[in-house]
Structure formats: structure tokens, C-alpha cells
Amino acid sequence: MRQSRIIKIALLLLVAVFAPPANAQSTTLGKSPGLGFRKFFIEPSSSSLAGGRARLTVGTLSRQGGALIGSYQIKVTPYFFKNEKGRLSIVLSEPSLRKLLQGIPAEFTGEAKTDRTNKTRPITASATPSTKDRGALVISVATENGKLLFETSYRIGD
């Protein structure tokens, strides 16, 4: 149970990576020159936890109504019964996207919703661009036993 919560929280962190400020108008995202990307890719990653490993795989995140939407899967070895699947929903504000495209690190929050339990969990992440459309991504998931970190990379594209 504890590992599945950790996994769920990690997924929520992915969503959090791209949450806009409460007063941001996400409907303008993609309408400004240079901001019209359609896909956000996150490379698979893994993290150690209590005698095992959690592997996070995120499907291609697509723009839908100002949000990045996609699926995630966490496989926990050797604890296969802790595996999770679900949907990510990340609202990426125009100011945050502009920061990334200008090579400025940005921090985000969001949430993930699990398929099995239908629970929604928050996540946090920080992105450090290395080029205009790529960079490093650290996803932090708060658990009862501390933070679970997934260090990976991202790519923005069409």
C-alpha cells in the first residue's frame, strides 16, 4: 500500500510539473508565436524504494484544451502488486513554457489520477532546459517515508 501511494504521488508530481498560476489563462497557450507545440515527451526513469525499484513510464503528453494530457505507468519490482496505471493532466502556463523555451529553469505542480482507485494525487517537479526544446526533469513524490525522486529528461515537440 505504501509503495502504491509513493507511485501515485510521483505521478501527481508529473502533472504538477506544468501547473499554471491560478490567474493564468491556459486558453492562450500555443497561440503566441513559437509556443504552438503539440506534444511533451518524458523519458522513462526509475527510483529506489524499500527493497525494490519503481519504474515510471509516461506516455506522450498531448495538448488538449490548454492542458497536457497523457497516461502513466509505474511498475514496482519485486512488488508487482504495487503497479499502477493512470492519467496525467498538466496545465502548462504560457509564462512557464516561455521560461523553458528561453532556457530558464521552471518548477511546476500538478496531479495524477489512478485508474484503479480513481484517486488524485499532487506532484512537484523542476525542469532545467539544456536547449530550447530539451532538458532535465526531476519529479519529486512526497511519501510517508520521505521523498521519492525520479530524475529524467523531457522534450517538447510536434
Side-chain angles (χ1 to χ4, degrees):
M1 182 84 173
R2 184 179 71 192
Q3 290 175 345
S4 67
R5 285 185 178 179
I6 291 172
I7 292 171
K8 293 175 184 178
I9 294 173
L11 296 174
L12 292 175
L13 288 177
L14 290 174
V15 174
V17 169
F18 304 100
N23 62 353
Q25 297 216 0
S26 61
T27 56
T28 64
L29 183 61
K31 293 183 180 179
S32 299
L35 297 181
F37 79 93
R38 295 183 186 169
K39 310 259 183 204
F40 193 91
F41 306 92
I42 297 175
E43 291 296 317
S45 62
S46 62
S47 183
S48 297
L49 64 129
R53 291 211 52 84
R55 179 162 175 79
L56 173 65
T57 304
V58 178
T60 300
L61 301 175
S62 300
R63 294 215 8 151
Q64 296 178 17
L68 296 175
I69 306 292
S71 63
Y72 74 87
Q73 181 177 27
I74 295 180
K75 289 190 175 188
V76 182
T77 56
Y79 311 108
F80 65 90
F81 52 90
K82 301 287 186 179
N83 294 350
E84 284 288 332
K85 292 182 188 180
R87 302 269 308 153
L88 295 176
S89 177
I90 302 167
V91 179
L92 180 57
S93 70
E94 190 170 322
S96 294
L97 178 57
R98 283 187 189 283
K99 278 180 146 182
L100 290 178
L101 295 175
Q102 293 172 358
I104 301 169
E107 294 189 11
F108 312 93
T109 60
E111 62 185 28
K113 187 174 185 179
T114 63
D115 288 343
R116 187 174 62 191
T117 63
N118 230 15
K119 289 188 178 182
T120 302
R121 297 182 180 2
I123 60 172
T124 62
S126 61
T128 305
S130 56
T131 67
K132 180 180 177 180
D133 60 350
R134 297 175 187 266
L137 182 64
V138 177
I139 301 163
S140 177
V141 181
T143 70
E144 307 82 37
N145 299 318
K147 291 181 181 179
L148 182 60
L149 295 176
F150 290 96
E151 295 183 11
T152 185
S153 61
Y154 71 89
R155 179 174 61 88
I156 298 172
D158 285 327

PDB file of all heavy atoms in Angstrom, residues 85-124:
ATOM      1  N   LYS A  85      -1.394   2.337 -12.957  1.00  0.00           N
ATOM      2  CA  LYS A  85      -1.623   2.995 -14.243  1.00  0.00           C
ATOM      3  C   LYS A  85      -2.574   4.148 -13.975  1.00  0.00           C
ATOM      4  O   LYS A  85      -3.360   4.099 -13.035  1.00  0.00           O
ATOM      5  CB  LYS A  85      -2.303   2.063 -15.240  1.00  0.00           C
ATOM      6  CG  LYS A  85      -1.490   0.926 -15.723  1.00  0.00           C
ATOM      7  CD  LYS A  85      -2.305   0.155 -16.735  1.00  0.00           C
ATOM      8  CE  LYS A  85      -1.644  -1.127 -17.148  1.00  0.00           C
ATOM      9  NZ  LYS A  85      -2.464  -1.858 -18.123  1.00  0.00           N
ATOM     10  N   GLY A  86      -2.532   5.156 -14.828  1.00  0.00           N
ATOM     11  CA  GLY A  86      -3.457   6.260 -14.652  1.00  0.00           C
ATOM     12  C   GLY A  86      -3.299   7.320 -15.721  1.00  0.00           C
ATOM     13  O   GLY A  86      -2.627   7.114 -16.730  1.00  0.00           O
ATOM     14  N   ARG A  87      -3.938   8.465 -15.488  1.00  0.00           N
ATOM     15  CA  ARG A  87      -3.922   9.599 -16.415  1.00  0.00           C
ATOM     16  C   ARG A  87      -3.278  10.794 -15.733  1.00  0.00           C
ATOM     17  O   ARG A  87      -3.560  11.082 -14.580  1.00  0.00           O
ATOM     18  CB  ARG A  87      -5.339   9.984 -16.830  1.00  0.00           C
ATOM     19  CG  ARG A  87      -6.144   8.916 -17.479  1.00  0.00           C
ATOM     20  CD  ARG A  87      -6.082   8.818 -18.954  1.00  0.00           C
ATOM     21  NE  ARG A  87      -6.340  10.045 -19.670  1.00  0.00           N
ATOM     22  CZ  ARG A  87      -5.836  10.259 -20.870  1.00  0.00           C
ATOM     23  NH1 ARG A  87      -5.088   9.362 -21.445  1.00  0.00           N
ATOM     24  NH2 ARG A  87      -6.094  11.372 -21.510  1.00  0.00           N
ATOM     25  N   LEU A  88      -2.463  11.506 -16.502  1.00  0.00           N
ATOM     26  CA  LEU A  88      -1.860  12.749 -16.048  1.00  0.00           C
ATOM     27  C   LEU A  88      -2.591  13.909 -16.714  1.00  0.00           C
ATOM     28  O   LEU A  88      -2.964  13.818 -17.873  1.00  0.00           O
ATOM     29  CB  LEU A  88      -0.390  12.820 -16.452  1.00  0.00           C
ATOM     30  CG  LEU A  88       0.550  11.813 -15.843  1.00  0.00           C
ATOM     31  CD1 LEU A  88       1.937  11.974 -16.430  1.00  0.00           C
ATOM     32  CD2 LEU A  88       0.586  11.957 -14.350  1.00  0.00           C
ATOM     33  N   SER A  89      -2.773  14.959 -15.971  1.00  0.00           N
ATOM     34  CA  SER A  89      -3.343  16.182 -16.519  1.00  0.00           C
ATOM     35  C   SER A  89      -2.519  17.338 -15.996  1.00  0.00           C
ATOM     36  O   SER A  89      -2.542  17.636 -14.806  1.00  0.00           O
ATOM     37  CB  SER A  89      -4.800  16.325 -16.086  1.00  0.00           C
ATOM     38  OG  SER A  89      -5.323  17.539 -16.565  1.00  0.00           O
ATOM     39  N   ILE A  90      -1.773  17.970 -16.891  1.00  0.00           N
ATOM     40  CA  ILE A  90      -0.859  19.036 -16.516  1.00  0.00           C
ATOM     41  C   ILE A  90      -1.234  20.307 -17.261  1.00  0.00           C
ATOM     42  O   ILE A  90      -1.246  20.338 -18.479  1.00  0.00           O
ATOM     43  CB  ILE A  90       0.592  18.666 -16.878  1.00  0.00           C
ATOM     44  CG1 ILE A  90       0.994  17.381 -16.179  1.00  0.00           C
ATOM     45  CG2 ILE A  90       1.529  19.815 -16.539  1.00  0.00           C
ATOM     46  CD1 ILE A  90       2.280  16.797 -16.716  1.00  0.00           C
ATOM     47  N   VAL A  91      -1.535  21.344 -16.522  1.00  0.00           N
ATOM     48  CA  VAL A  91      -1.815  22.631 -17.151  1.00  0.00           C
ATOM     49  C   VAL A  91      -0.488  23.376 -17.221  1.00  0.00           C
ATOM     50  O   VAL A  91       0.139  23.632 -16.208  1.00  0.00           O
ATOM     51  CB  VAL A  91      -2.859  23.440 -16.346  1.00  0.00           C
ATOM     52  CG1 VAL A  91      -3.112  24.787 -17.010  1.00  0.00           C
ATOM     53  CG2 VAL A  91      -4.151  22.646 -16.222  1.00  0.00           C
ATOM     54  N   LEU A  92      -0.067  23.686 -18.422  1.00  0.00           N
ATOM     55  CA  LEU A  92       1.211  24.357 -18.637  1.00  0.00           C
ATOM     56  C   LEU A  92       0.944  25.815 -18.994  1.00  0.00           C
ATOM     57  O   LEU A  92       0.450  26.121 -20.065  1.00  0.00           O
ATOM     58  CB  LEU A  92       1.975  23.667 -19.771  1.00  0.00           C
ATOM     59  CG  LEU A  92       3.336  24.239 -20.142  1.00  0.00           C
ATOM     60  CD1 LEU A  92       4.260  24.257 -18.934  1.00  0.00           C
ATOM     61  CD2 LEU A  92       3.960  23.421 -21.257  1.00  0.00           C
ATOM     62  N   SER A  93       1.261  26.691 -18.052  1.00  0.00           N
ATOM     63  CA  SER A  93       1.010  28.116 -18.278  1.00  0.00           C
ATOM     64  C   SER A  93       1.951  28.673 -19.342  1.00  0.00           C
ATOM     65  O   SER A  93       3.057  28.177 -19.546  1.00  0.00           O
ATOM     66  CB  SER A  93       1.177  28.896 -16.983  1.00  0.00           C
ATOM     67  OG  SER A  93       2.540  28.942 -16.607  1.00  0.00           O
ATOM     68  N   GLU A  94       1.505  29.724 -20.002  1.00  0.00           N
ATOM     69  CA  GLU A  94       2.327  30.378 -21.018  1.00  0.00           C
ATOM     70  C   GLU A  94       3.613  30.931 -20.409  1.00  0.00           C
ATOM     71  O   GLU A  94       4.685  30.756 -20.980  1.00  0.00           O
ATOM     72  CB  GLU A  94       1.533  31.474 -21.721  1.00  0.00           C
ATOM     73  CG  GLU A  94       2.245  32.017 -22.933  1.00  0.00           C
ATOM     74  CD  GLU A  94       1.368  32.921 -23.765  1.00  0.00           C
ATOM     75  OE1 GLU A  94       0.164  32.634 -23.911  1.00  0.00           O
ATOM     76  OE2 GLU A  94       1.897  33.925 -24.269  1.00  0.00           O
ATOM     77  N   PRO A  95       3.565  31.575 -19.224  1.00  0.00           N
ATOM     78  CA  PRO A  95       4.818  32.064 -18.627  1.00  0.00           C
ATOM     79  C   PRO A  95       5.814  30.941 -18.319  1.00  0.00           C
ATOM     80  O   PRO A  95       7.009  31.094 -18.531  1.00  0.00           O
ATOM     81  CB  PRO A  95       4.353  32.758 -17.344  1.00  0.00           C
ATOM     82  CG  PRO A  95       2.942  33.158 -17.621  1.00  0.00           C
ATOM     83  CD  PRO A  95       2.386  32.069 -18.481  1.00  0.00           C
ATOM     84  N   SER A  96       5.322  29.800 -17.831  1.00  0.00           N
ATOM     85  CA  SER A  96       6.218  28.679 -17.537  1.00  0.00           C
ATOM     86  C   SER A  96       6.821  28.116 -18.809  1.00  0.00           C
ATOM     87  O   SER A  96       8.014  27.791 -18.862  1.00  0.00           O
ATOM     88  CB  SER A  96       5.468  27.576 -16.788  1.00  0.00           C
ATOM     89  OG  SER A  96       5.068  28.028 -15.522  1.00  0.00           O
ATOM     90  N   LEU A  97       6.014  27.984 -19.836  1.00  0.00           N
ATOM     91  CA  LEU A  97       6.518  27.488 -21.108  1.00  0.00           C
ATOM     92  C   LEU A  97       7.549  28.456 -21.690  1.00  0.00           C
ATOM     93  O   LEU A  97       8.599  28.034 -22.180  1.00  0.00           O
ATOM     94  CB  LEU A  97       5.374  27.284 -22.105  1.00  0.00           C
ATOM     95  CG  LEU A  97       5.797  26.809 -23.493  1.00  0.00           C
ATOM     96  CD1 LEU A  97       6.579  25.507 -23.421  1.00  0.00           C
ATOM     97  CD2 LEU A  97       4.578  26.670 -24.387  1.00  0.00           C
ATOM     98  N   ARG A  98       7.263  29.742 -21.611  1.00  0.00           N
ATOM     99  CA  ARG A  98       8.221  30.744 -22.109  1.00  0.00           C
ATOM    100  C   ARG A  98       9.562  30.610 -21.387  1.00  0.00           C
ATOM    101  O   ARG A  98      10.619  30.706 -21.999  1.00  0.00           O
ATOM    102  CB  ARG A  98       7.674  32.147 -21.943  1.00  0.00           C
ATOM    103  CG  ARG A  98       6.642  32.513 -22.972  1.00  0.00           C
ATOM    104  CD  ARG A  98       6.266  34.003 -22.829  1.00  0.00           C
ATOM    105  NE  ARG A  98       5.134  34.331 -23.642  1.00  0.00           N
ATOM    106  CZ  ARG A  98       5.193  34.516 -24.954  1.00  0.00           C
ATOM    107  NH1 ARG A  98       6.327  34.402 -25.586  1.00  0.00           N
ATOM    108  NH2 ARG A  98       4.107  34.819 -25.636  1.00  0.00           N
ATOM    109  N   LYS A  99       9.517  30.388 -20.079  1.00  0.00           N
ATOM    110  CA  LYS A  99      10.748  30.204 -19.310  1.00  0.00           C
ATOM    111  C   LYS A  99      11.548  29.034 -19.882  1.00  0.00           C
ATOM    112  O   LYS A  99      12.746  29.164 -20.125  1.00  0.00           O
ATOM    113  CB  LYS A  99      10.435  29.909 -17.839  1.00  0.00           C
ATOM    114  CG  LYS A  99      10.142  31.096 -16.987  1.00  0.00           C
ATOM    115  CD  LYS A  99       9.856  30.596 -15.584  1.00  0.00           C
ATOM    116  CE  LYS A  99      10.339  31.548 -14.547  1.00  0.00           C
ATOM    117  NZ  LYS A  99      10.099  31.042 -13.180  1.00  0.00           N
ATOM    118  N   LEU A 100      10.882  27.910 -20.063  1.00  0.00           N
ATOM    119  CA  LEU A 100      11.577  26.731 -20.576  1.00  0.00           C
ATOM    120  C   LEU A 100      12.183  26.994 -21.947  1.00  0.00           C
ATOM    121  O   LEU A 100      13.330  26.637 -22.208  1.00  0.00           O
ATOM    122  CB  LEU A 100      10.625  25.533 -20.653  1.00  0.00           C
ATOM    123  CG  LEU A 100      10.185  24.931 -19.335  1.00  0.00           C
ATOM    124  CD1 LEU A 100       9.204  23.794 -19.572  1.00  0.00           C
ATOM    125  CD2 LEU A 100      11.376  24.441 -18.533  1.00  0.00           C
ATOM    126  N   LEU A 101      11.406  27.610 -22.834  1.00  0.00           N
ATOM    127  CA  LEU A 101      11.885  27.875 -24.187  1.00  0.00           C
ATOM    128  C   LEU A 101      13.019  28.897 -24.224  1.00  0.00           C
ATOM    129  O   LEU A 101      13.783  28.942 -25.180  1.00  0.00           O
ATOM    130  CB  LEU A 101      10.726  28.327 -25.080  1.00  0.00           C
ATOM    131  CG  LEU A 101       9.638  27.278 -25.330  1.00  0.00           C
ATOM    132  CD1 LEU A 101       8.486  27.878 -26.125  1.00  0.00           C
ATOM    133  CD2 LEU A 101      10.204  26.052 -26.018  1.00  0.00           C
ATOM    134  N   GLN A 102      13.140  29.706 -23.172  1.00  0.00           N
ATOM    135  CA  GLN A 102      14.228  30.688 -23.073  1.00  0.00           C
ATOM    136  C   GLN A 102      15.424  30.133 -22.295  1.00  0.00           C
ATOM    137  O   GLN A 102      16.374  30.840 -22.037  1.00  0.00           O
ATOM    138  CB  GLN A 102      13.724  31.962 -22.398  1.00  0.00           C
ATOM    139  CG  GLN A 102      12.717  32.721 -23.226  1.00  0.00           C
ATOM    140  CD  GLN A 102      12.083  33.874 -22.457  1.00  0.00           C
ATOM    141  OE1 GLN A 102      12.360  34.096 -21.283  1.00  0.00           O
ATOM    142  NE2 GLN A 102      11.213  34.608 -23.132  1.00  0.00           N
ATOM    143  N   GLY A 103      15.347  28.862 -21.890  1.00  0.00           N
ATOM    144  CA  GLY A 103      16.456  28.240 -21.173  1.00  0.00           C
ATOM    145  C   GLY A 103      16.485  28.544 -19.693  1.00  0.00           C
ATOM    146  O   GLY A 103      17.508  28.361 -19.043  1.00  0.00           O
ATOM    147  N   ILE A 104      15.375  28.991 -19.146  1.00  0.00           N
ATOM    148  CA  ILE A 104      15.294  29.330 -17.725  1.00  0.00           C
ATOM    149  C   ILE A 104      14.611  28.178 -16.985  1.00  0.00           C
ATOM    150  O   ILE A 104      13.528  27.741 -17.372  1.00  0.00           O
ATOM    151  CB  ILE A 104      14.489  30.624 -17.512  1.00  0.00           C
ATOM    152  CG1 ILE A 104      15.151  31.776 -18.267  1.00  0.00           C
ATOM    153  CG2 ILE A 104      14.345  30.942 -16.031  1.00  0.00           C
ATOM    154  CD1 ILE A 104      14.302  33.031 -18.347  1.00  0.00           C
ATOM    155  N   PRO A 105      15.225  27.665 -15.904  1.00  0.00           N
ATOM    156  CA  PRO A 105      14.593  26.585 -15.140  1.00  0.00           C
ATOM    157  C   PRO A 105      13.218  27.002 -14.608  1.00  0.00           C
ATOM    158  O   PRO A 105      12.980  28.178 -14.326  1.00  0.00           O
ATOM    159  CB  PRO A 105      15.559  26.347 -13.976  1.00  0.00           C
ATOM    160  CG  PRO A 105      16.872  26.844 -14.488  1.00  0.00           C
ATOM    161  CD  PRO A 105      16.542  28.018 -15.373  1.00  0.00           C
ATOM    162  N   ALA A 106      12.326  26.037 -14.508  1.00  0.00           N
ATOM    163  CA  ALA A 106      10.973  26.302 -14.022  1.00  0.00           C
ATOM    164  C   ALA A 106      10.517  25.156 -13.124  1.00  0.00           C
ATOM    165  O   ALA A 106      10.938  24.017 -13.309  1.00  0.00           O
ATOM    166  CB  ALA A 106      10.010  26.464 -15.196  1.00  0.00           C
ATOM    167  N   GLU A 107       9.674  25.489 -12.153  1.00  0.00           N
ATOM    168  CA  GLU A 107       9.106  24.491 -11.254  1.00  0.00           C
ATOM    169  C   GLU A 107       7.608  24.435 -11.469  1.00  0.00           C
ATOM    170  O   GLU A 107       6.989  25.440 -11.821  1.00  0.00           O
ATOM    171  CB  GLU A 107       9.444  24.822  -9.805  1.00  0.00           C
ATOM    172  CG  GLU A 107      10.925  24.725  -9.537  1.00  0.00           C
ATOM    173  CD  GLU A 107      11.264  24.845  -8.063  1.00  0.00           C
ATOM    174  OE1 GLU A 107      10.354  24.799  -7.218  1.00  0.00           O
ATOM    175  OE2 GLU A 107      12.461  24.970  -7.780  1.00  0.00           O
ATOM    176  N   PHE A 108       7.043  23.239 -11.258  1.00  0.00           N
ATOM    177  CA  PHE A 108       5.633  23.014 -11.542  1.00  0.00           C
ATOM    178  C   PHE A 108       4.985  22.144 -10.483  1.00  0.00           C
ATOM    179  O   PHE A 108       5.662  21.455  -9.735  1.00  0.00           O
ATOM    180  CB  PHE A 108       5.472  22.316 -12.893  1.00  0.00           C
ATOM    181  CG  PHE A 108       6.261  22.956 -13.986  1.00  0.00           C
ATOM    182  CD1 PHE A 108       7.528  22.508 -14.293  1.00  0.00           C
ATOM    183  CD2 PHE A 108       5.739  24.015 -14.707  1.00  0.00           C
ATOM    184  CE1 PHE A 108       8.272  23.095 -15.311  1.00  0.00           C
ATOM    185  CE2 PHE A 108       6.471  24.609 -15.726  1.00  0.00           C
ATOM    186  CZ  PHE A 108       7.741  24.144 -16.017  1.00  0.00           C
ATOM    187  N   THR A 109       3.667  22.173 -10.484  1.00  0.00           N
ATOM    188  CA  THR A 109       2.887  21.266  -9.658  1.00  0.00           C
ATOM    189  C   THR A 109       1.771  20.706 -10.524  1.00  0.00           C
ATOM    190  O   THR A 109       1.457  21.248 -11.574  1.00  0.00           O
ATOM    191  CB  THR A 109       2.281  21.983  -8.427  1.00  0.00           C
ATOM    192  OG1 THR A 109       1.439  23.026  -8.890  1.00  0.00           O
ATOM    193  CG2 THR A 109       3.359  22.529  -7.513  1.00  0.00           C
ATOM    194  N   GLY A 110       1.179  19.620 -10.089  1.00  0.00           N
ATOM    195  CA  GLY A 110       0.100  19.029 -10.864  1.00  0.00           C
ATOM    196  C   GLY A 110      -0.504  17.854 -10.140  1.00  0.00           C
ATOM    197  O   GLY A 110      -0.366  17.719  -8.931  1.00  0.00           O
ATOM    198  N   GLU A 111      -1.167  16.990 -10.914  1.00  0.00           N
ATOM    199  CA  GLU A 111      -1.806  15.838 -10.302  1.00  0.00           C
ATOM    200  C   GLU A 111      -1.926  14.686 -11.278  1.00  0.00           C
ATOM    201  O   GLU A 111      -1.854  14.866 -12.488  1.00  0.00           O
ATOM    202  CB  GLU A 111      -3.180  16.208  -9.763  1.00  0.00           C
ATOM    203  CG  GLU A 111      -4.149  16.679 -10.821  1.00  0.00           C
ATOM    204  CD  GLU A 111      -5.469  17.159 -10.243  1.00  0.00           C
ATOM    205  OE1 GLU A 111      -5.475  17.613  -9.088  1.00  0.00           O
ATOM    206  OE2 GLU A 111      -6.475  17.051 -10.945  1.00  0.00           O
ATOM    207  N   ALA A 112      -2.077  13.505 -10.697  1.00  0.00           N
ATOM    208  CA  ALA A 112      -2.285  12.291 -11.482  1.00  0.00           C
ATOM    209  C   ALA A 112      -3.485  11.564 -10.881  1.00  0.00           C
ATOM    210  O   ALA A 112      -3.716  11.612  -9.680  1.00  0.00           O
ATOM    211  CB  ALA A 112      -1.058  11.397 -11.429  1.00  0.00           C
ATOM    212  N   LYS A 113      -4.235  10.921 -11.756  1.00  0.00           N
ATOM    213  CA  LYS A 113      -5.419  10.185 -11.306  1.00  0.00           C
ATOM    214  C   LYS A 113      -5.221   8.717 -11.650  1.00  0.00           C
ATOM    215  O   LYS A 113      -5.016   8.367 -12.813  1.00  0.00           O
ATOM    216  CB  LYS A 113      -6.668  10.729 -11.991  1.00  0.00           C
ATOM    217  CG  LYS A 113      -7.946  10.149 -11.477  1.00  0.00           C
ATOM    218  CD  LYS A 113      -9.135  10.852 -12.105  1.00  0.00           C
ATOM    219  CE  LYS A 113     -10.428  10.367 -11.515  1.00  0.00           C
ATOM    220  NZ  LYS A 113     -11.576  11.063 -12.114  1.00  0.00           N
ATOM    221  N   THR A 114      -5.293   7.869 -10.638  1.00  0.00           N
ATOM    222  CA  THR A 114      -5.078   6.445 -10.857  1.00  0.00           C
ATOM    223  C   THR A 114      -6.317   5.784 -11.443  1.00  0.00           C
ATOM    224  O   THR A 114      -7.445   6.161 -11.116  1.00  0.00           O
ATOM    225  CB  THR A 114      -4.707   5.741  -9.542  1.00  0.00           C
ATOM    226  OG1 THR A 114      -5.799   5.846  -8.636  1.00  0.00           O
ATOM    227  CG2 THR A 114      -3.464   6.344  -8.919  1.00  0.00           C
ATOM    228  N   ASP A 115      -6.095   4.820 -12.324  1.00  0.00           N
ATOM    229  CA  ASP A 115      -7.212   4.100 -12.928  1.00  0.00           C
ATOM    230  C   ASP A 115      -7.925   3.216 -11.909  1.00  0.00           C
ATOM    231  O   ASP A 115      -9.143   3.170 -11.859  1.00  0.00           O
ATOM    232  CB  ASP A 115      -6.724   3.213 -14.085  1.00  0.00           C
ATOM    233  CG  ASP A 115      -6.314   4.013 -15.304  1.00  0.00           C
ATOM    234  OD1 ASP A 115      -6.682   5.199 -15.402  1.00  0.00           O
ATOM    235  OD2 ASP A 115      -5.620   3.443 -16.160  1.00  0.00           O
ATOM    236  N   ARG A 116      -7.160   2.506 -11.099  1.00  0.00           N
ATOM    237  CA  ARG A 116      -7.727   1.513 -10.190  1.00  0.00           C
ATOM    238  C   ARG A 116      -8.521   2.139  -9.055  1.00  0.00           C
ATOM    239  O   ARG A 116      -9.634   1.724  -8.774  1.00  0.00           O
ATOM    240  CB  ARG A 116      -6.628   0.616  -9.648  1.00  0.00           C
ATOM    241  CG  ARG A 116      -7.163  -0.543  -8.819  1.00  0.00           C
ATOM    242  CD  ARG A 116      -6.077  -1.483  -8.411  1.00  0.00           C
ATOM    243  NE  ARG A 116      -5.115  -0.779  -7.579  1.00  0.00           N
ATOM    244  CZ  ARG A 116      -3.949  -1.258  -7.226  1.00  0.00           C
ATOM    245  NH1 ARG A 116      -3.568  -2.432  -7.657  1.00  0.00           N
ATOM    246  NH2 ARG A 116      -3.138  -0.564  -6.465  1.00  0.00           N
ATOM    247  N   THR A 117      -7.945   3.134  -8.390  1.00  0.00           N
ATOM    248  CA  THR A 117      -8.609   3.713  -7.221  1.00  0.00           C
ATOM    249  C   THR A 117      -9.311   5.028  -7.515  1.00  0.00           C
ATOM    250  O   THR A 117     -10.041   5.529  -6.675  1.00  0.00           O
ATOM    251  CB  THR A 117      -7.593   3.951  -6.084  1.00  0.00           C
ATOM    252  OG1 THR A 117      -6.632   4.910  -6.532  1.00  0.00           O
ATOM    253  CG2 THR A 117      -6.915   2.660  -5.670  1.00  0.00           C
ATOM    254  N   ASN A 118      -9.027   5.610  -8.677  1.00  0.00           N
ATOM    255  CA  ASN A 118      -9.625   6.891  -9.058  1.00  0.00           C
ATOM    256  C   ASN A 118      -9.219   8.034  -8.126  1.00  0.00           C
ATOM    257  O   ASN A 118      -9.887   9.060  -8.076  1.00  0.00           O
ATOM    258  CB  ASN A 118     -11.148   6.770  -9.115  1.00  0.00           C
ATOM    259  CG  ASN A 118     -11.704   7.319 -10.394  1.00  0.00           C
ATOM    260  OD1 ASN A 118     -10.985   7.548 -11.358  1.00  0.00           O
ATOM    261  ND2 ASN A 118     -12.998   7.535 -10.404  1.00  0.00           N
ATOM    262  N   LYS A 119      -8.123   7.858  -7.403  1.00  0.00           N
ATOM    263  CA  LYS A 119      -7.631   8.903  -6.506  1.00  0.00           C
ATOM    264  C   LYS A 119      -6.748   9.874  -7.273  1.00  0.00           C
ATOM    265  O   LYS A 119      -6.048   9.502  -8.193  1.00  0.00           O
ATOM    266  CB  LYS A 119      -6.846   8.298  -5.348  1.00  0.00           C
ATOM    267  CG  LYS A 119      -7.713   7.570  -4.369  1.00  0.00           C
ATOM    268  CD  LYS A 119      -6.918   7.169  -3.154  1.00  0.00           C
ATOM    269  CE  LYS A 119      -7.829   6.475  -2.169  1.00  0.00           C
ATOM    270  NZ  LYS A 119      -7.111   6.107  -0.946  1.00  0.00           N
ATOM    271  N   THR A 120      -6.794  11.127  -6.851  1.00  0.00           N
ATOM    272  CA  THR A 120      -5.972  12.174  -7.438  1.00  0.00           C
ATOM    273  C   THR A 120      -4.900  12.562  -6.437  1.00  0.00           C
ATOM    274  O   THR A 120      -5.192  12.768  -5.272  1.00  0.00           O
ATOM    275  CB  THR A 120      -6.851  13.392  -7.788  1.00  0.00           C
ATOM    276  OG1 THR A 120      -7.872  12.965  -8.674  1.00  0.00           O
ATOM    277  CG2 THR A 120      -6.029  14.471  -8.454  1.00  0.00           C
ATOM    278  N   ARG A 121      -3.650  12.649  -6.913  1.00  0.00           N
ATOM    279  CA  ARG A 121      -2.533  12.974  -6.037  1.00  0.00           C
ATOM    280  C   ARG A 121      -1.685  14.104  -6.633  1.00  0.00           C
ATOM    281  O   ARG A 121      -1.429  14.108  -7.823  1.00  0.00           O
ATOM    282  CB  ARG A 121      -1.660  11.744  -5.853  1.00  0.00           C
ATOM    283  CG  ARG A 121      -2.372  10.591  -5.162  1.00  0.00           C
ATOM    284  CD  ARG A 121      -1.458   9.441  -4.976  1.00  0.00           C
ATOM    285  NE  ARG A 121      -1.884   8.245  -4.345  1.00  0.00           N
ATOM    286  CZ  ARG A 121      -3.051   7.902  -3.870  1.00  0.00           C
ATOM    287  NH1 ARG A 121      -4.026   8.712  -3.945  1.00  0.00           N
ATOM    288  NH2 ARG A 121      -3.288   6.750  -3.312  1.00  0.00           N
ATOM    289  N   PRO A 122      -1.216  15.002  -5.774  1.00  0.00           N
ATOM    290  CA  PRO A 122      -0.355  16.096  -6.258  1.00  0.00           C
ATOM    291  C   PRO A 122       1.089  15.638  -6.449  1.00  0.00           C
ATOM    292  O   PRO A 122       1.546  14.718  -5.782  1.00  0.00           O
ATOM    293  CB  PRO A 122      -0.454  17.136  -5.141  1.00  0.00           C
ATOM    294  CG  PRO A 122      -0.732  16.332  -3.919  1.00  0.00           C
ATOM    295  CD  PRO A 122      -1.537  15.145  -4.366  1.00  0.00           C
ATOM    296  N   ILE A 123       1.781  16.301  -7.358  1.00  0.00           N
ATOM    297  CA  ILE A 123       3.201  16.058  -7.599  1.00  0.00           C
ATOM    298  C   ILE A 123       3.906  17.401  -7.777  1.00  0.00           C
ATOM    299  O   ILE A 123       3.264  18.405  -8.037  1.00  0.00           O
ATOM    300  CB  ILE A 123       3.432  15.173  -8.842  1.00  0.00           C
ATOM    301  CG1 ILE A 123       2.861  15.841 -10.089  1.00  0.00           C
ATOM    302  CG2 ILE A 123       2.846  13.788  -8.657  1.00  0.00           C
ATOM    303  CD1 ILE A 123       3.199  15.137 -11.388  1.00  0.00           C
ATOM    304  N   THR A 124       5.223  17.398  -7.639  1.00  0.00           N
ATOM    305  CA  THR A 124       6.013  18.591  -7.943  1.00  0.00           C
ATOM    306  C   THR A 124       7.182  18.175  -8.824  1.00  0.00           C
ATOM    307  O   THR A 124       7.619  17.031  -8.781  1.00  0.00           O
ATOM    308  CB  THR A 124       6.559  19.275  -6.666  1.00  0.00           C
ATOM    309  OG1 THR A 124       7.418  18.368  -5.990  1.00  0.00           O
ATOM    310  CG2 THR A 124       5.433  19.724  -5.755  1.00  0.00           C
TER     311      THR A 124
END
